[in-house]
Coordinates of all heavy atoms in Angstrom, one line a residue:
M1 N 16.8 23.6 1.7 CA 16.3 22.8 0.5 C 17.5 22.8 -0.5 O 17.8 21.8 -1.0 CB 15.0 23.2 0.1 CG 14.5 22.2 -1.0 SD 12.8 22.7 -1.6 CE 12.9 22.2 -3.2
A2 N 18.0 24.0 -0.8 CA 18.9 24.1 -1.9 C 20.3 23.5 -1.5 O 20.9 23.0 -2.4 CB 19.0 25.5 -2.3
V3 N 20.5 23.6 -0.2 CA 21.9 23.0 0.2 C 21.8 21.5 0.0 O 22.8 21.0 -0.4 CB 22.1 23.6 1.7 CG1 23.4 22.9 2.1 CG2 22.2 25.0 1.7
E4 N 20.7 20.9 0.3 CA 20.6 19.5 0.1 C 20.8 19.1 -1.4 O 21.3 18.1 -1.7 CB 19.3 18.9 0.7 CG 19.2 18.9 2.2 CD 18.8 20.3 2.7 OE1 18.4 21.1 2.0 OE2 18.7 20.5 3.9
L5 N 20.2 20.0 -2.2 CA 20.3 19.7 -3.6 C 21.7 19.8 -4.1 O 22.2 19.1 -5.0 CB 19.5 20.7 -4.3 CG 17.9 20.5 -4.3 CD1 17.3 21.6 -5.0 CD2 17.6 19.2 -5.0
I6 N 22.5 20.8 -3.5 CA 24.0 21.0 -3.9 C 24.7 19.6 -3.4 O 25.5 19.1 -4.1 CB 24.5 22.2 -3.2 CG1 23.9 23.5 -3.8 CG2 26.0 22.3 -3.3 CD1 24.1 23.6 -5.2
Y7 N 24.4 19.1 -2.2 CA 25.0 17.9 -1.7 C 24.7 16.7 -2.7 O 25.6 16.0 -3.0 CB 24.6 17.6 -0.3 CG 25.1 18.5 0.7 CD1 24.4 18.7 1.9 CD2 26.2 19.2 0.7 CE1 24.8 19.5 2.9 CE2 26.8 20.0 1.7 CZ 25.9 20.3 2.8 OH 26.3 21.1 3.7
L8 N 23.6 16.6 -3.2 CA 23.2 15.6 -4.1 C 23.9 15.7 -5.3 O 24.4 14.8 -6.0 CB 21.6 15.5 -4.3 CG 20.8 14.9 -3.2 CD1 19.3 15.2 -3.6 CD2 21.0 13.5 -3.1
A9 N 24.1 17.0 -5.7 CA 24.6 17.2 -7.1 C 26.2 16.9 -6.9 O 26.7 16.3 -7.8 CB 24.5 18.7 -7.6
I10 N 26.7 17.2 -5.9 CA 28.2 16.9 -5.8 C 28.5 15.3 -5.6 O 29.3 15.0 -6.4 CB 28.7 17.6 -4.3 CG1 28.9 19.1 -4.5 CG2 30.0 17.1 -4.0 CD1 29.2 19.8 -3.3
A11 N 27.6 14.7 -5.0 CA 27.7 13.2 -4.9 C 27.4 12.7 -6.3 O 28.2 11.7 -6.7 CB 26.6 12.7 -3.9
A12 N 26.5 13.1 -7.0 CA 26.3 12.5 -8.3 C 27.3 12.8 -9.4 O 27.6 12.1 -10.3 CB 24.8 13.1 -8.8
L13 N 27.9 14.0 -9.2 CA 29.0 14.4 -10.1 C 30.3 13.7 -9.6 O 31.2 13.6 -10.5 CB 29.2 15.8 -10.2 CG 28.0 16.6 -10.9 CD1 28.1 18.1 -10.8 CD2 27.8 16.2 -12.3
L14 N 30.5 13.3 -8.4 CA 31.7 12.7 -8.0 C 31.7 11.2 -8.3 O 32.8 10.6 -8.5 CB 32.0 12.9 -6.5 CG 32.7 14.1 -6.1 CD1 32.7 14.1 -4.5 CD2 34.1 14.1 -6.6
A15 N 30.6 10.7 -8.5 CA 30.6 9.2 -8.7 C 31.1 8.8 -10.1 O 32.0 7.9 -10.1 CB 29.2 8.8 -8.8
P16 N 31.0 9.6 -11.2 CA 31.7 9.1 -12.3 C 33.2 9.4 -12.2 O 34.0 8.6 -12.8 CB 31.1 9.9 -13.4 CG 29.7 10.4 -12.9 CD 30.0 10.5 -11.4
A17 N 33.6 10.4 -11.6 CA 35.0 10.7 -11.5 C 35.7 9.6 -10.6 O 36.8 9.2 -10.9 CB 35.2 12.0 -10.7
L18 N 35.1 9.2 -9.6 CA 35.7 8.2 -8.6 C 35.6 6.8 -9.4 O 36.6 6.0 -9.3 CB 34.9 8.2 -7.3 CG 35.0 9.3 -6.4 CD1 34.1 9.1 -5.2 CD2 36.5 9.5 -6.1
A19 N 34.6 6.6 -10.2 CA 34.6 5.3 -11.0 C 35.7 5.3 -12.0 O 36.2 4.2 -12.2 CB 33.2 5.2 -11.7
E20 N 36.0 6.5 -12.5 CA 37.2 6.6 -13.6 C 38.5 6.4 -12.8 O 39.3 5.6 -13.4 CB 37.0 7.9 -14.1 CG 38.2 8.1 -15.2 CD 37.9 7.5 -16.5 OE1 36.7 7.3 -16.9 OE2 38.9 6.9 -17.1
M21 N 38.6 6.8 -11.7 CA 39.9 6.5 -10.8 C 40.0 5.0 -10.5 O 41.1 4.6 -10.3 CB 39.9 7.4 -9.7 CG 40.1 8.9 -10.0 SD 39.9 10.1 -8.7 CE 40.7 9.4 -7.3
A22 N 38.8 4.5 -10.3 CA 38.8 3.0 -9.8 C 38.8 2.1 -11.0 O 38.8 0.9 -10.9 CB 37.6 2.7 -8.9
K23 N 38.9 2.6 -12.2 CA 38.9 1.9 -13.4 C 37.7 0.9 -13.6 O 37.8 -0.1 -14.2 CB 40.2 1.0 -13.5 CG 41.5 1.7 -13.2 CD 42.0 2.5 -14.5 CE 43.4 3.0 -14.3 NZ 43.4 4.4 -14.3
I24 N 36.6 1.4 -13.1 CA 35.3 0.6 -13.4 C 34.3 1.3 -14.4 O 33.3 0.8 -14.8 CB 34.6 0.2 -12.1 CG1 34.2 1.5 -11.3 CG2 35.4 -0.8 -11.3 CD1 33.3 1.1 -10.1
R25 N 34.8 2.6 -14.7 CA 33.8 3.3 -15.6 C 33.7 2.8 -16.9 O 32.7 2.8 -17.7 CB 34.1 4.8 -15.6 CG 33.3 5.6 -16.5 CD 33.5 7.1 -16.4 NE 32.6 7.8 -17.4 CZ 32.2 9.0 -17.3 NH1 32.7 9.7 -16.4 NH2 31.4 9.5 -18.2
A26 N 34.9 2.2 -17.4 CA 34.8 1.6 -18.8 C 33.8 0.5 -18.9 O 33.4 0.3 -20.0 CB 36.3 1.2 -19.2
K27 N 33.6 -0.3 -17.9 CA 32.6 -1.2 -17.8 C 31.2 -0.8 -18.0 O 30.3 -1.6 -18.4 CB 32.7 -2.2 -16.7 CG 34.2 -2.8 -16.5 CD 34.2 -3.6 -15.2 CE 35.6 -4.1 -15.0 NZ 35.9 -4.8 -13.7
A28 N 30.9 0.3 -17.5 CA 29.5 0.9 -17.5 C 29.5 2.5 -17.8 O 29.0 3.2 -17.0 CB 28.9 0.6 -16.1
D29 N 30.1 2.7 -18.9 CA 30.3 4.1 -19.3 C 28.9 4.8 -19.4 O 28.7 5.9 -19.1 CB 31.0 4.3 -20.6 CG 31.4 5.7 -20.8 OD1 31.8 6.4 -20.0 OD2 31.3 6.2 -22.0
K30 N 28.0 4.2 -20.2 CA 26.6 4.8 -20.3 C 25.9 5.0 -19.0 O 25.2 6.0 -18.8 CB 25.7 3.9 -21.3 CG 24.7 4.6 -21.8 CD 23.7 3.6 -22.7 CE 24.5 3.8 -24.1 NZ 23.6 3.1 -25.1
A31 N 26.0 4.1 -18.1 CA 25.4 4.1 -16.7 C 25.9 5.5 -16.0 O 25.1 6.3 -15.4 CB 25.6 2.9 -16.0
F32 N 27.3 5.6 -16.0 CA 27.8 6.7 -15.3 C 27.6 8.0 -16.0 O 27.5 9.1 -15.4 CB 29.3 6.5 -15.1 CG 29.6 5.5 -14.1 CD1 30.1 4.2 -14.3 CD2 29.3 5.8 -12.7 CE1 30.3 3.3 -13.4 CE2 29.5 4.7 -11.7 CZ 30.1 3.6 -12.1
T33 N 27.3 8.0 -17.3 CA 26.8 9.3 -18.0 C 25.5 9.6 -17.4 O 25.2 10.8 -17.2 CB 26.9 9.0 -19.4 OG1 28.2 8.6 -19.9 CG2 26.3 10.3 -20.2
W34 N 24.5 8.7 -17.2 CA 23.2 8.9 -16.6 C 23.3 9.4 -15.3 O 22.6 10.5 -14.9 CB 22.4 7.6 -16.7 CG 21.8 7.4 -17.9 CD1 22.1 6.6 -18.9 CD2 20.4 7.8 -18.2 NE1 21.2 6.5 -19.8 CE2 20.1 7.3 -19.4 CE3 19.4 8.5 -17.6 CZ2 18.9 7.4 -20.2 CZ3 18.2 8.8 -18.3 CH2 17.9 8.2 -19.5
V35 N 24.4 9.0 -14.5 CA 24.5 9.6 -13.1 C 25.0 11.0 -13.3 O 24.6 11.9 -12.4 CB 25.4 8.8 -12.3 CG1 25.8 9.3 -10.9 CG2 24.8 7.3 -12.1
A36 N 25.9 11.3 -14.1 CA 26.3 12.6 -14.3 C 25.3 13.7 -14.8 O 25.2 14.8 -14.3 CB 27.5 12.7 -15.3
V37 N 24.4 13.1 -15.7 CA 23.4 13.9 -16.1 C 22.4 14.3 -14.9 O 21.9 15.3 -14.8 CB 22.5 13.3 -17.2 CG1 21.2 13.9 -17.6 CG2 23.4 13.2 -18.5
G38 N 22.1 13.3 -14.1 CA 21.3 13.5 -12.9 C 22.0 14.6 -12.0 O 21.3 15.3 -11.3
G39 N 23.3 14.4 -11.8 CA 24.0 15.6 -11.2 C 23.9 16.9 -11.7 O 23.6 17.9 -10.8
V40 N 23.9 17.0 -13.0 CA 23.7 18.4 -13.6 C 22.2 18.8 -13.3 O 22.0 20.0 -13.1 CB 24.0 18.3 -15.1 CG1 23.6 19.5 -15.7 CG2 25.4 18.0 -15.3
M41 N 21.4 17.9 -13.3 CA 19.9 18.4 -13.1 C 19.7 18.8 -11.7 O 19.0 19.8 -11.4 CB 18.9 17.1 -13.4 CG 18.7 16.9 -14.8 SD 18.0 18.1 -15.7 CE 18.9 18.2 -17.0
F42 N 20.5 18.2 -10.8 CA 20.3 18.7 -9.5 C 21.0 20.1 -9.2 O 20.6 20.9 -8.4 CB 21.1 17.7 -8.4 CG 20.2 16.5 -8.1 CD1 21.0 15.2 -8.1 CD2 19.0 16.5 -7.8 CE1 20.1 14.0 -7.9 CE2 18.2 15.4 -7.6 CZ 18.9 14.2 -7.6
V43 N 22.1 20.3 -10.0 CA 22.6 21.7 -10.1 C 21.7 22.7 -10.5 O 21.5 23.9 -10.0 CB 24.0 21.8 -10.8 CG1 24.5 23.2 -11.0 CG2 25.1 20.9 -10.1
L44 N 21.1 22.3 -11.6 CA 20.0 23.2 -12.2 C 18.8 23.5 -11.2 O 18.3 24.6 -11.1 CB 19.5 22.7 -13.6 CG 18.6 23.5 -14.4 CD1 19.2 24.9 -14.8 CD2 18.2 22.8 -15.6
S45 N 18.5 22.4 -10.7 CA 17.4 22.6 -9.5 C 17.8 23.5 -8.5 O 17.0 24.4 -8.0 CB 17.0 21.2 -9.1 OG 16.0 21.3 -8.1
A46 N 19.0 23.3 -8.1 CA 19.5 24.2 -6.9 C 19.6 25.7 -7.4 O 19.4 26.6 -6.6 CB 20.8 23.7 -6.5
A47 N 20.0 25.8 -8.6 CA 20.0 27.2 -9.2 C 18.7 27.9 -9.2 O 18.5 29.1 -8.9 CB 20.7 27.2 -10.6
F48 N 17.7 27.1 -9.5 CA 16.3 27.7 -9.5 C 15.9 28.0 -8.0 O 15.1 28.9 -7.7 CB 15.2 26.9 -10.2 CG 15.4 26.9 -11.7 CD1 15.6 26.0 -12.6 CD2 14.9 28.2 -12.3 CE1 15.6 26.2 -13.8 CE2 14.9 28.4 -13.6 CZ 15.2 27.4 -14.4
A49 N 16.3 27.1 -7.1 CA 16.0 27.4 -5.7 C 16.6 28.6 -5.1 O 16.0 29.2 -4.4 CB 16.4 26.1 -5.0
F50 N 17.8 29.0 -5.7 CA 18.6 30.1 -5.1 C 18.1 31.5 -5.8 O 18.3 32.5 -5.4 CB 20.0 29.9 -5.3 CG 20.8 29.1 -4.3 CD1 21.4 28.0 -4.5 CD2 20.6 29.5 -2.8 CE1 22.1 27.2 -3.6 CE2 21.2 28.7 -1.9 CZ 21.8 27.6 -2.2
T51 N 17.5 31.2 -7.0 CA 17.3 32.4 -7.9 C 15.9 33.1 -7.3 O 14.9 32.5 -7.1 CB 17.1 32.0 -9.3 OG1 18.3 31.4 -9.8 CG2 16.9 33.3 -10.1
D52 N 16.0 34.5 -7.3 CA 14.9 35.2 -7.1 C 14.3 35.9 -8.4 O 14.8 36.9 -8.8 CB 15.1 36.4 -6.1 CG 13.8 37.1 -5.6 OD1 12.9 36.7 -5.8 OD2 14.1 38.3 -5.1
L53 N 13.3 35.2 -9.0 CA 12.8 35.6 -10.3 C 11.9 36.8 -10.2 O 11.4 37.3 -11.1 CB 12.2 34.5 -10.9 CG 13.2 33.4 -11.4 CD1 12.3 32.2 -12.0 CD2 14.3 33.8 -12.3
S54 N 11.5 37.3 -9.0 CA 10.5 38.3 -8.8 C 11.3 39.7 -9.3 O 10.6 40.5 -9.7 CB 10.1 38.5 -7.4 OG 11.2 38.7 -6.6
L55 N 12.5 39.6 -9.4 CA 13.2 40.9 -9.9 C 13.0 41.1 -11.3 O 13.1 42.2 -11.9 CB 14.8 40.8 -9.5 CG 15.1 40.7 -8.1 CD1 16.6 40.6 -8.0 CD2 14.7 42.1 -7.3
V56 N 12.8 40.1 -12.1 CA 12.6 40.2 -13.5 C 11.3 40.2 -14.0 O 10.8 40.0 -15.1 CB 13.4 39.1 -14.3 CG1 15.0 39.4 -14.2 CG2 13.1 37.7 -13.9
G57 N 10.4 40.2 -13.0 CA 8.9 40.2 -13.3 C 8.1 38.8 -13.4 O 7.0 38.8 -13.7
I58 N 8.8 37.8 -13.2 CA 8.3 36.4 -13.1 C 7.8 36.2 -11.7 O 8.6 36.4 -10.8 CB 9.2 35.4 -13.8 CG1 9.8 35.7 -15.1 CG2 8.7 34.1 -13.5 CD1 10.8 34.9 -15.7
A59 N 6.7 35.6 -11.6 CA 6.2 35.4 -10.3 C 7.0 34.4 -9.5 O 7.7 33.5 -10.0 CB 4.6 34.7 -10.4
A60 N 7.1 34.6 -8.2 CA 8.0 33.8 -7.4 C 7.5 32.3 -7.2 O 8.2 31.4 -6.9 CB 8.2 34.4 -6.0
T61 N 6.2 32.2 -7.5 CA 5.7 30.8 -7.5 C 6.0 30.0 -8.6 O 5.8 28.8 -8.6 CB 4.0 31.0 -7.3 OG1 3.6 31.6 -8.4 CG2 3.6 31.6 -6.1
L62 N 6.7 30.5 -9.6 CA 7.2 29.8 -10.7 C 8.3 28.9 -10.4 O 8.6 27.9 -10.9 CB 7.5 30.7 -12.0 CG 8.0 30.1 -13.2 CD1 6.9 29.1 -13.8 CD2 8.4 31.1 -14.2
T63 N 9.2 29.4 -9.5 CA 10.4 28.7 -9.1 C 10.2 27.4 -8.5 O 10.9 26.4 -8.6 CB 11.2 29.6 -8.2 OG1 10.7 29.8 -7.0 CG2 11.7 30.8 -9.0
L64 N 9.2 27.2 -7.6 CA 9.0 26.0 -6.8 C 8.8 24.7 -7.8 O 9.2 23.7 -7.8 CB 7.9 26.1 -5.8 CG 7.7 24.8 -5.0 CD1 9.0 24.6 -4.2 CD2 6.6 25.0 -3.9
P65 N 7.8 25.0 -8.8 CA 7.5 23.9 -9.8 C 8.8 23.6 -10.5 O 9.1 22.4 -10.8 CB 6.5 24.4 -10.7 CG 5.8 25.4 -9.9 CD 6.8 26.0 -9.0
L66 N 9.6 24.5 -10.8 CA 10.7 24.2 -11.7 C 11.8 23.5 -10.8 O 12.5 22.5 -11.3 CB 11.5 25.5 -12.1 CG 10.8 26.3 -13.3 CD1 11.4 27.7 -13.6 CD2 10.6 25.4 -14.4
V67 N 12.0 23.8 -9.6 CA 12.8 23.2 -8.5 C 12.4 21.7 -8.5 O 13.2 20.8 -8.6 CB 12.8 23.8 -7.2 CG1 13.5 22.9 -6.3 CG2 13.6 25.1 -7.3
S68 N 11.1 21.6 -8.3 CA 10.5 20.1 -8.2 C 10.7 19.4 -9.5 O 11.1 18.2 -9.5 CB 9.0 20.3 -7.9 OG 8.9 20.9 -6.7
L69 N 10.5 20.0 -10.7 CA 10.6 19.3 -11.9 C 12.0 18.8 -12.2 O 12.3 17.6 -12.4 CB 10.2 20.2 -13.1 CG 10.4 19.7 -14.5 CD1 9.4 18.6 -14.8 CD2 10.3 20.8 -15.6
F70 N 13.0 19.8 -12.0 CA 14.4 19.2 -12.2 C 14.9 18.3 -11.2 O 15.8 17.6 -11.5 CB 15.3 20.6 -12.4 CG 15.1 21.3 -13.7 CD1 14.5 22.5 -13.7 CD2 15.3 20.6 -14.9 CE1 14.3 23.1 -14.9 CE2 15.1 21.2 -16.2 CZ 14.6 22.6 -16.1
S71 N 14.5 18.4 -10.0 CA 14.8 17.3 -8.9 C 14.2 16.1 -9.3 O 15.0 15.0 -9.2 CB 14.2 17.9 -7.7 OG 14.7 19.0 -7.1
I72 N 13.1 15.9 -9.8 CA 12.5 14.6 -10.2 C 13.3 14.2 -11.4 O 13.6 13.0 -11.4 CB 11.0 14.8 -10.4 CG1 10.3 15.1 -9.2 CG2 10.5 13.5 -11.2 CD1 8.8 15.5 -9.3
I73 N 13.6 15.0 -12.4 CA 14.4 14.5 -13.5 C 15.8 14.0 -13.1 O 16.2 12.9 -13.5 CB 14.5 15.6 -14.6 CG1 13.1 15.9 -15.2 CG2 15.5 15.2 -15.7 CD1 13.0 17.2 -16.1
G74 N 16.3 14.7 -12.1 CA 17.7 14.2 -11.6 C 17.5 12.9 -10.9 O 18.5 12.1 -11.0
L75 N 16.5 12.8 -10.2 CA 16.3 11.6 -9.4 C 16.2 10.5 -10.3 O 16.7 9.4 -10.1 CB 15.1 11.7 -8.5 CG 14.8 10.5 -7.6 CD1 15.9 10.1 -6.7 CD2 13.4 10.7 -7.0
V76 N 15.4 10.7 -11.4 CA 15.1 9.4 -12.3 C 16.4 9.2 -13.0 O 16.6 8.0 -13.2 CB 14.0 9.8 -13.3 CG1 13.8 8.8 -14.5 CG2 12.7 10.0 -12.5
A77 N 17.3 10.3 -13.4 CA 18.4 9.9 -14.1 C 19.4 9.1 -13.2 O 20.2 8.2 -13.8 CB 19.1 11.2 -14.7
V78 N 19.6 9.6 -12.0 CA 20.5 8.8 -11.1 C 19.9 7.5 -10.8 O 20.8 6.6 -10.8 CB 20.6 9.7 -9.8 CG1 21.4 8.9 -8.7 CG2 21.5 11.0 -10.0
L79 N 18.7 7.3 -10.7 CA 18.2 5.9 -10.4 C 18.4 5.1 -11.6 O 18.9 3.8 -11.5 CB 16.7 6.0 -10.2 CG 15.9 4.7 -10.0 CD1 16.4 4.0 -8.7 CD2 14.4 4.9 -9.9
V80 N 18.2 5.6 -12.9 CA 18.5 4.7 -14.2 C 19.8 4.4 -14.2 O 20.3 3.3 -14.5 CB 17.9 5.4 -15.3 CG1 18.4 4.8 -16.6 CG2 16.3 5.5 -15.4
G81 N 20.8 5.4 -13.9 CA 22.1 5.2 -14.2 C 22.7 4.1 -13.1 O 23.6 3.3 -13.3
S82 N 22.1 4.3 -11.8 CA 22.8 3.4 -10.8 C 22.2 1.9 -11.0 O 22.9 1.0 -10.9 CB 22.3 3.9 -9.4 OG 20.9 3.9 -9.3
L83 N 21.0 1.8 -11.6 CA 20.5 0.5 -11.8 C 21.3 -0.1 -13.1 O 21.6 -1.4 -13.0 CB 19.1 0.4 -12.2 CG 18.1 0.7 -11.0 CD1 16.7 0.9 -11.4 CD2 18.4 -0.4 -9.9
M84 N 21.5 0.7 -14.0 CA 22.4 0.2 -15.2 C 23.7 -0.2 -14.9 O 24.4 -1.1 -15.3 CB 22.3 1.3 -16.5 CG 21.1 1.5 -17.0 SD 21.0 2.8 -18.2 CE 22.5 2.4 -19.3
A85 N 24.4 0.6 -13.8 CA 25.8 0.3 -13.4 C 25.7 -1.0 -12.6 O 26.6 -1.8 -12.8 CB 26.3 1.5 -12.6
T86 N 24.8 -1.2 -11.9 CA 24.7 -2.3 -11.1 C 24.6 -3.6 -11.9 O 25.3 -4.6 -11.7 CB 23.5 -2.4 -10.1 OG1 23.6 -1.2 -9.2 CG2 23.4 -3.6 -9.3
V87 N 23.8 -3.5 -12.9 CA 23.5 -4.7 -13.8 C 24.9 -4.9 -14.5 O 25.3 -6.0 -14.8 CB 22.4 -4.5 -14.7 CG1 22.4 -5.4 -15.9 CG2 21.1 -4.5 -14.0
A88 N 25.4 -3.9 -15.1 CA 26.6 -3.9 -15.9 C 27.8 -4.5 -15.1 O 28.6 -5.3 -15.6 CB 27.0 -2.7 -16.6
L89 N 27.9 -4.1 -13.8 CA 29.2 -4.5 -13.2 C 28.9 -5.9 -12.5 O 29.8 -6.6 -12.2 CB 29.4 -3.5 -11.9 CG 29.8 -2.2 -12.4 CD1 29.9 -1.1 -11.2 CD2 31.1 -2.2 -13.2
L90 N 27.6 -6.2 -12.4 CA 27.4 -7.7 -11.8 C 27.5 -8.7 -12.9 O 27.8 -9.9 -12.7 CB 26.0 -7.7 -11.1 CG 26.0 -7.1 -9.9 CD1 24.5 -7.3 -9.3 CD2 27.0 -7.7 -8.9
K91 N 27.4 -8.3 -14.1 CA 27.5 -9.2 -15.3 C 28.9 -9.7 -15.5 O 29.1 -10.8 -15.9 CB 27.1 -8.6 -16.6 CG 25.5 -8.6 -16.9 CD 25.3 -8.0 -18.2 CE 23.7 -8.1 -18.5 NZ 23.5 -7.6 -19.9
E92 N 29.9 -8.9 -15.2 CA 31.3 -9.1 -15.4 C 32.0 -9.7 -14.1 O 31.7 -9.7 -13.1 CB 32.1 -7.9 -15.9 CG 31.7 -7.5 -17.2 CD 32.4 -6.4 -17.8 OE1 33.5 -6.2 -17.3 OE2 31.9 -5.7 -18.6

């Protein structure tokens, strides 16, 4: 599960960089910022998936809701960013 989150994070963090190289980020800068925030949320989610919090006294069942929460936040951010980018790029 965590490996898939890392793949999603890499894809979401590469999208703004590739858009910058293709010179289309300036047309939808705010949208690509949303996509990058989604990528960071996926990284945070994967970090919780890899972490064993039982060593510090926190129940291991706490990590699954945190992974789910940050995955959902990342998904919403990427969805909003991609929709905003689509609208901004189709307007021009």
Side-chain angles (χ1 to χ4, degrees):
M1 179 172 156
V3 175
E4 289 87 5
L5 289 172
I6 295 293
Y7 291 153
L8 283 172
I10 290 171
L13 291 173
L14 273 178
L18 293 175
E20 183 72 34
M21 290 170 43
K23 307 280 192 251
I24 61 172
R25 183 175 175 158
K27 297 176 185 174
D29 188 44
K30 197 179 274 190
F32 286 109
T33 302
W34 274 92
V35 173
V37 167
V40 170
M41 288 295 135
F42 285 135
V43 169
L44 186 59
S45 177
F48 278 115
F50 280 124
T51 305
D52 184 18
L53 294 177
S54 62
L55 296 175
V56 292
I58 299 174
T61 58
L62 180 66
T63 59
L64 185 61
L66 290 175
V67 170
S68 299
L69 174 71
F70 288 115
S71 294
I72 291 170
I73 292 172
L75 176 68
V76 169
V78 169
L79 179 65
V80 167
S82 62
L83 290 175
M84 286 174 59
T86 301
V87 169
L89 294 174
L90 286 179
K91 277 186 178 178
E92 295 188 21

